[in-house]
Amino acid sequence: MVLLGMDPERKSPVNHQSPSQQVFPSQSKRECRAYERTLSVLSALAETSTLALGEITARVANAARRGLDFEHLNLLLMDEEQSALMPLEHNPEVKLSVGQGLWGWVAQHGAPLNVADVSQDPRHVVVPSLWPPDVRSALIAPLMVGDRLIGVIDVASSRPHAFDADDQRLVTIIGQQLAVTIDNARLYQETERRLREVSTLYQLAQQMNTSLDVQEMLDSIVHSLKRTMGCRGCSIALLDAVDNALEICASAGIDSKWHRDFKLQLGEGIAGRVALEGTPVYVADALQLDDFIFFDPTVRSLLTVPLSIKQRVIGTLTVDSDQPNAFSAADERLLTIAATQVAIAIENARLYASLEQRAQNLAQAYAELKIADRLKDELVQNVSHELRTPLTFLKGYVELLLEEEAGPLNAEQKKYLEILSEKTDTLTQLVNNIMSLQYAEQVLEQKGPISLTQLARRAVRGCMATARKNNINLVEDLPPDLPPVSGDEGKLLQVFNNLLGNAIKFSPDGGEITVTLEDAGPMVQVSVSDQGIGIPKDKQGHIFEKFYQVDGSIRRRFGGAGLGLAIVKHIVEAHQGQVWVESDLGQGSTFYFTLPKYQKREKSG
């Protein structure tokens, strides 16, 4: 509160108007005086602007005195919970709830209030430290930053009816200007405090990043916190998962005896309680607690916060002092943030040690898998080679029997031999596919210029007989002037054959299959479209996997081992291309693949 002496000479506002101005009507004169008064006060406010909250009240009172006749001025600000008003000077005896007294009414409604006689207003409550008993009239205005209330300003007088509408407008304007000033000062102080905290936390982070050795890191942290917070001692206790006991793992400023003897169960002592409940505990004066466990009798105040990872407490961080009331809310906030960093650093160090061991195990497992994969490939290749020879002989003898080289056959015998020939062809195709898959995964060494237009025509001609047999129409859309691609002709022909074979297999009688080639920048794009059964959306990501079938009924109905598309994928990707499918169930499918255009290499030298 600021008390100002009355100016006995000031009976009415001083007339500073020129003679020419005095010819205006009285209303215009009053407005002009009000404008000049407002400008004078605002100029004074601007001249005395400050970021020091403690100086604002006195400076505002001096500035407001230029345009207002009052004896008392107060600034009350909202607390952090936005539930009560407290004087800017932080008088602990004054705390007014929103809605309490004239100040609380203004805070509640966000509107100015001009009270001609406070003694006659039922909302008035007596607060001697703000207004003495002789106060009769008061003007109170809200301090607003946008739509946010940060406090109220009042001016008061011992005279009743001391303030008029112009005074109310002026105080409201002062409040608007003052709210911005106070908000900036608060922001400045908060920024300064946060910078100090950030500097401390940055130093901690630097220390945590210098080593992944848990003990070395913890020792560095406790010494840094002790130095930064100016406390007597700092310690970190970690929870043993086996016996649920807290043991000090690192400390600074604490006698080695207490370090060695410290062991608390969950819920025991301050640290045990923090570890059990997962919330900070501040003991302002240990002598006031009957159940305080003294490991060191010099401790008077203590602040302990949990070390938590994903709501799981792994230990506690404690600072202590030999003085009572040594720590503030800001200290608790800083220690809580530091504890979060420490907990993460501890967990990271533990994870690093665990990952190192896992990496060694994985390296060993990977080496074993590579050996197993090589043996598998060799086994498949050897088995496939071994199957080819007897299948060739089997096919040859079946054909000889069908040609009746060994004597005449009756109809039933021919039927059985034709079934055997068909199944031999199926088994031979499976062996060929397995061999093709092995070769498709090999890195291409020789890649020449290939005309995809000519290759696509060859593939279409090769499938023409099968398509006609199934009453399917093959359509070509092959531009003659496409640039060549880089690749292996035999393997790329197999890609066309597999995609066309798939399309024929799943196309309905009378359906149409279209083969299209397009220029796609650095690539040539190929598409094979059919009008078949389509592929469900949730299955399209799997159809290029080895031995994959959309469902068992597909295999029973159409046959196949699920290797054709896997071979396509391996060959295309070995050519640095891409393959994909677009399909809707019951509306056919379009398979796409791209291949890079051939780039002629210039000979060096």
Side-chain angles (χ1 to χ4, degrees):
M1 180 181 72
V2 176
L3 178 63
L4 301 175
M6 289 291 292
D7 182 359
E9 300 298 322
R10 183 176 177 186
K11 303 299 183 182
S12 62
V14 179
N15 190 341
H16 296 288
Q17 294 176 316
S18 64
S20 61
Q21 292 173 314
Q22 294 177 14
V23 301
F24 292 165
S26 60
Q27 179 68 18
S28 298
K29 292 179 180 179
R30 187 177 63 80
E31 290 175 355
C32 188
R33 286 196 298 270
Y35 173 78
E36 290 177 348
R37 189 167 55 140
T38 301
L39 186 60
S40 175
V41 172
L42 291 180
S43 298
L45 282 175
E47 292 169 3
T48 60
S49 179
T50 178
L51 289 174
L53 278 173
E55 300 176 7
I56 287 179
T57 302
R59 294 193 179 196
V60 170
N62 289 332
R65 187 69 177 85
R66 295 191 180 186
L68 288 168
D69 190 359
F70 60 89
E71 298 159 40
H72 310 282
L73 183 145
N74 294 290
L75 295 176
L76 290 84
L77 302 183
M78 297 296 294
D79 62 5
E80 292 183 358
E81 292 77 23
Q82 290 293 105
S83 61
L85 291 164
M86 300 181 68
L88 181 59
E89 291 79 6
H90 301 293
N91 184 345
E93 298 178 358
V94 179
K95 189 171 185 178
L96 298 169
S97 302
V98 172
Q100 182 183 5
L102 299 173
W103 304 274
W105 185 95
V106 171
Q108 184 177 36
H109 294 85
L113 185 63
N114 186 351
V115 182
D117 190 341
V118 297
S119 64
Q120 303 301 315
D121 196 309
R123 296 168 294 186
H124 176 55
V125 293
V126 176
V127 183
S129 60
L130 296 179
W131 291 343
D134 64 343
V135 165
R136 296 293 301 278
S137 56
L139 250 180
I140 308 172
L143 302 177
M144 305 288 295
V145 177
D147 294 331
R148 177 169 55 92
L149 177 81
I150 67 167
V152 300
I153 179 175
D154 77 53
V155 289
S157 173
S158 59
R159 296 176 292 110
H161 303 278
F163 306 107
D164 59 17
D166 288 340
D167 295 328
Q168 180 174 316
R169 277 191 293 272
L170 178 56
V171 171
T172 301
I173 293 172
I174 292 173
Q176 293 169 351
Q177 181 76 18
L178 186 57
V180 175
T181 301
I182 292 174
D183 205 47
N184 288 340
R186 279 178 159 179
L187 181 61
Y188 175 78
Q189 289 189 352
E190 180 70 9
T191 302
E192 287 280 291
R193 184 184 59 76
R194 289 296 173 91
L195 282 174
R196 289 193 296 270
E197 289 183 0
V198 168
S199 176
T200 300
L201 295 173
Y202 176 76
Q203 292 174 8
L204 287 178
Q206 290 289 96
Q207 292 165 349
M208 294 173 195
N209 291 331
T210 56
S211 173
L212 283 169
D213 179 86
V214 176
Q215 190 57 55
E216 180 182 342
M217 178 186 64
L218 295 182
D219 288 337
S220 174
I221 289 170
V222 292
H223 283 87
S224 179
L225 280 175
K226 178 181 181 296
R227 182 172 59 254
T228 300
M229 300 188 71
C231 56
R232 186 200 70 93
C234 177
S235 63
I236 293 175
L238 296 182
L239 193 61
D240 189 320
V242 177
D243 58 7
N244 276 341
L246 283 169
E247 296 185 16
I248 290 181
C249 297
S251 65
I254 296 176
D255 190 282
S256 59
K257 174 186 176 183
W258 311 120
H259 185 146
R260 184 176 60 253
D261 294 344
F262 184 95
K263 189 169 185 178
L264 293 174
Q265 297 296 319
L266 280 178
E268 183 181 10
I270 299 300
R273 200 171 93 202
V274 170
L276 179 64
E277 298 173 358
T279 55
V281 171
Y282 173 41
V283 178
D285 191 347
L287 298 181
Q288 303 300 317
L289 290 183
D290 296 333
D291 58 348
F292 187 80
I293 299 175
F294 284 93
F295 282 92
D296 189 332
T298 61
V299 173
R300 285 293 302 276
S301 54
L302 186 79
L303 176 59
T304 301
V305 297
L307 300 175
S308 301
I309 292 289
K310 296 179 180 178
Q311 298 182 337
R312 175 176 58 89
V313 178
I314 64 171
T316 60
L317 172 60
T318 300
V319 289
D320 65 58
S321 174
D322 54 9
Q323 300 297 319
N325 304 300
F327 305 108
S328 65
D331 292 325
E332 181 177 325
R333 182 170 52 249
L334 173 61
L335 201 64
T336 300
I337 297 172
T340 301
Q341 286 189 321
V342 171
I344 293 172
I346 292 171
E347 193 73 2
N348 287 344
R350 288 175 171 176
L351 285 174
Y352 177 77
S354 174
L355 286 174
E356 270 197 325
Q357 184 60 46
R358 286 189 182 185
Q360 294 175 5
N361 295 341
L362 285 173
Q364 182 179 352
Y366 179 68
E368 294 172 355
L369 280 174
K370 285 183 69 176
I371 295 172
D373 192 54
R374 179 174 56 80
L375 293 174
K376 179 265 297 179
D377 289 343
E378 291 176 358
L379 175 64
V380 171
Q381 192 169 3
N382 291 337
V383 169
S384 299
H385 277 295
E386 293 301 321
L387 283 173
R388 268 185 167 180
T389 302
L391 283 172
T392 302
F393 278 109
L394 181 60
K395 178 68 175 176
Y397 279 113
V398 169
E399 288 178 350
L400 286 173
L401 288 173
L402 285 171
E403 293 171 1
E404 299 186 348
E405 293 289 336
L409 300 171
N410 59 39
E412 189 173 5
Q413 289 172 331
K414 279 190 175 183
K415 178 182 177 182
Y416 292 158
L417 286 172
E418 286 170 354
I419 293 173
L420 181 58
S421 177
E422 182 183 339
K423 296 303 179 185
T424 302
D425 289 339
T426 301
L427 187 55
T428 301
Q429 183 61 43
L430 176 60
V431 171
N432 289 337
N433 281 342
I434 292 174
M435 295 297 295
S436 296
L437 188 61
Q438 297 297 315
Y439 293 132
E441 294 175 343
Q442 296 175 1
V443 177
L444 297 174
E445 295 182 358
Q446 299 294 329
K447 293 190 289 185
I450 306 294
S451 170
L452 279 187
T453 299
Q454 296 178 9
L455 203 61
R457 285 202 179 103
R458 281 177 55 191
V460 170
R461 284 198 302 270
C463 297
M464 195 69 73
T466 306
R468 286 173 181 168
K469 181 181 177 182
N470 291 276
N471 193 27
I472 293 171
N473 185 33
L474 295 179
V475 178
E476 298 177 355
D477 183 5
L478 311 176
D481 56 348
L482 276 180
V485 299
S486 178
D488 182 294
E489 184 174 341
K491 290 186 176 181
L492 292 179
L493 181 60
Q494 187 173 7
V495 170
F496 278 104
N497 288 338
N498 286 10
L499 291 177
L500 285 168
N502 240 36
I504 292 170
K505 182 192 301 184
F506 295 107
S507 289
D509 185 53
E512 184 174 279
I513 296 172
T514 303
V515 181
T516 305
L517 271 61
E518 298 177 79
D519 192 317
M523 315 290 280
V524 174
Q525 180 175 292
V526 181
S527 64
V528 178
S529 302
D530 62 55
Q531 299 170 340
I533 60 176
I535 305 166
K537 295 291 185 185
D538 61 334
K539 308 292 185 183
Q540 293 177 15
H542 302 285
I543 60 172
F544 294 101
E545 297 173 4
K546 299 176 186 177
F547 304 105
Y548 182 80
Q549 295 279 8
V550 173
D551 58 51
S553 63
I554 297 293
R555 178 177 294 184
R556 290 192 296 272
R557 180 181 172 190
F558 297 101
L563 287 173
L565 292 177
I567 293 171
V568 168
K569 177 179 171 65
H570 283 292
I571 292 176
V572 171
E573 290 183 349
H575 283 76
Q576 285 78 52
Q578 289 183 309
V579 61
W580 69 96
V581 65
E582 294 178 2
S583 180
D584 290 309
L585 199 60
Q587 298 182 23
S589 304
T590 300
F591 285 84
Y592 297 88
F593 69 91
T594 57
L595 296 170
K597 293 176 181 176
Y598 179 75
Q599 301 291 331
K600 187 176 181 179
R601 297 180 181 176
E602 295 183 1
K603 294 183 179 180
S604 59

